[in-house]
C-alpha cells in the first residue's frame, strides 16, 4: 500500500482512538448507565392496587458508576433522592466488581490515548520496531478492546446477577420494600460497546495498511530459511 494511504489509515485510527478515550471519560462521569422503574410492593399490597392504580406506586431510577437518582412512588407522589456509591452504598453492592469496572474504564481511557499517540506517530514519524511499530499498535488495540468487553461483562453481571437496581432501591428503607419493575442499559453502557468495536476496527485498519498480524510467519520465509539451513 502506498505511504500516503497508510498515513491516512493511521490518522483515521488515531482520531477514532482519541474519540473513544473522550467517550469513555464522558461515560464514566454520567448517570446514564442504567435506567429503570421500581415498584413499591408494600404500598401496592396495602391498597391492593392493580391496573392503572399500579402506576401510582412505580418510581424511576437511574445511575452510573459513581452516583445516581431514584424517585420513590408510594402512592403519595414522587420523592426524588440522590445517592452516591462512595461511600454510601459500598456495604450493599458487590464492591469488588464495581471497583473493577471503574478500574477497567480508566485503563481503557489511558490506553486509548496511548494508542492514539502511537497511531499519529506512525502516521507522521518514522515507525520503530517493537512497541512503536505495528506490533505495538495491535497491542494497544487489543488491550482497549479487551477492557471494553470486560467492562460490559462485569457491569452486566453486577446489574443482572447481583440485582444492583433492587439493592439501590431498598437502600435505607425500613418500612417500604421495592422491587425492580423494569431496567435497561442506557447510553453510557452502549458507548463502551461502541468503543470496543472501534478498537477492533482499528486492528483491521492496521491489517489493511499491509502489516501482518503479530506472531504470523509466511510459509515462503520458513521454506527459504529451511533451505539455507540445509546448505550448511
Amino acid at each position: 500500500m502506498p505511504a500516503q494511504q497508510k498515513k491516512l489509515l493511521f490518522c483515521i485510527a488515531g482520531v477514532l482512538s482519541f474519540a473513544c478515550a473522550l467517550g469513555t471519560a464522558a461515560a464514566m462521569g454520567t448517570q446514564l448507565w442504567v435506567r429503570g422503574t421500581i415498584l413499591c410492593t408494600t404500598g401496592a399490597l396495602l391498597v391492593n392496587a392493580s391496573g392503572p392504580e399500579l402506576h401510582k406506586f412505580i418510581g424511576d431510577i437511574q445511575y452510573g458508576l459513581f452516583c445516581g437518582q431514584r424517585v420513590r412512588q408510594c402512592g403519595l407522589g414522587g420523592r426524588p433522592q440522590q445517592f452516591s456509591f462512595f461511600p454510601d452504598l459500598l456495604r450493599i453492592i458487590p464492591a469488588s466488581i464495581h471497583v473493577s469496572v471503574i478500574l477497567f474504564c480508566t485503563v481503557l481511557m489511558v490506553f486509548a490515548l496511548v494508542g492514539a499517540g502511537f497511531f499519529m506517530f506512525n502516521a507522521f514519524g518514522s515507525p520503530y520496531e517493537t512497541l512503536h511499530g505495528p506490533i505495538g499498535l495491535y497491542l494497544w488495540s487489543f488491550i482497549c478492546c479487551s477492557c471494553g468487553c470486560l467492562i460490559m461483562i462485569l457491569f452486566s453481571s453486577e446489574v443482572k446477577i447481583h440485582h444492583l437496581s433492587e439493592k439501590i432501591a431498598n437502600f435505607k428503607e425500613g418500612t417500604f420494600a421495592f422491587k425492580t419493575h423494569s431496567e435497561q442499559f442506557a447510553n453510557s453502557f452502549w458507548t463502551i460497546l461502541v468503543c470496543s468495536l472501534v478498537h477492533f476496527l482499528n486492528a483491521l485498519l492496521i491489517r489493511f495498511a499491509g502489516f501482518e498480524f503479530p506472531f504470523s510467519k509466511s510459509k515462503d520465509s520458513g521454506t527459504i530459511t529451511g533451505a539455507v539451513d540445509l546448505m550448511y
Side-chain angles (χ1 to χ4, degrees):
M1 179 177 290
Q4 294 297 329
Q5 295 184 17
K6 288 184 179 180
K7 288 183 177 181
L8 178 61
L9 289 178
F10 283 143
C11 287
I12 294 174
V15 171
L16 291 176
S17 186
F18 184 73
C20 287
L22 295 181
T24 303
M28 291 179 65
T30 66
Q31 301 180 10
L32 301 178
W33 283 73
V34 174
R35 284 178 174 172
T37 57
I38 50 177
L39 172 65
C40 180
T41 56
T42 305
L45 289 174
L46 284 175
V47 300
N48 197 19
S50 61
E53 297 177 350
L54 198 62
H55 291 283
K56 297 180 181 180
F57 299 91
I58 297 178
D60 300 318
I61 186 173
Q62 67 175 20
Y63 55 90
L65 298 181
F66 298 99
C67 58
Q69 181 182 13
R70 63 178 182 176
V71 179
R72 300 164 67 251
Q73 290 272 12
C74 297
L76 300 175
R79 297 182 181 180
Q81 181 184 10
Q82 296 283 340
F83 60 87
S84 61
F85 285 93
F86 303 98
D88 298 339
L89 299 175
L90 281 180
R91 294 173 296 174
I92 64 170
I93 66 172
S96 58
I97 297 179
H98 198 77
V99 173
S100 298
V101 172
I102 297 174
L103 178 62
F104 282 119
C105 283
T106 305
V107 173
L108 173 59
M109 180 177 60
V110 171
F111 277 94
L113 289 174
V114 172
F118 281 124
F119 275 117
M120 290 302 179
F121 182 84
N122 279 270
F124 299 104
S126 300
Y128 300 156
E129 293 297 329
T130 66
L131 295 182
H132 288 76
I135 295 179
L137 298 180
Y138 282 122
L139 176 63
W140 312 132
S141 300
F142 174 76
I143 291 175
C144 293
C145 187
S146 300
C147 286
C149 294
L150 287 173
I151 291 167
M152 291 185 293
I153 292 172
L154 291 175
F155 191 75
S156 299
S157 66
E158 186 180 8
V159 173
K160 299 298 183 180
I161 298 177
H162 294 276
H163 307 288
L164 184 60
S165 300
E166 195 165 312
K167 290 181 178 179
I168 294 173
N170 289 283
F171 177 62
K172 289 185 178 180
E173 289 290 344
T175 305
F176 296 98
F178 292 87
K179 184 178 180 180
T180 303
H181 187 260
S182 66
E183 63 181 0
Q184 61 273 347
F185 295 109
N187 298 339
S188 295
F189 179 84
W190 300 119
T191 298
I192 301 298
L193 174 61
V194 172
C195 290
S196 301
L197 295 177
V198 166
H199 288 295
F200 180 76
L201 175 62
N202 283 349
L204 294 181
L205 289 178
I206 302 169
R207 181 64 185 89
F208 291 153
F211 295 117
E212 296 290 340
F213 286 109
F215 310 113
S216 63
K217 295 182 179 180
S218 62
K219 295 181 179 179
D220 296 336
S221 62
T223 304
I224 295 173
T225 304
V228 172
D229 292 339
L230 289 174
M231 292 177 64
Y232 292 94

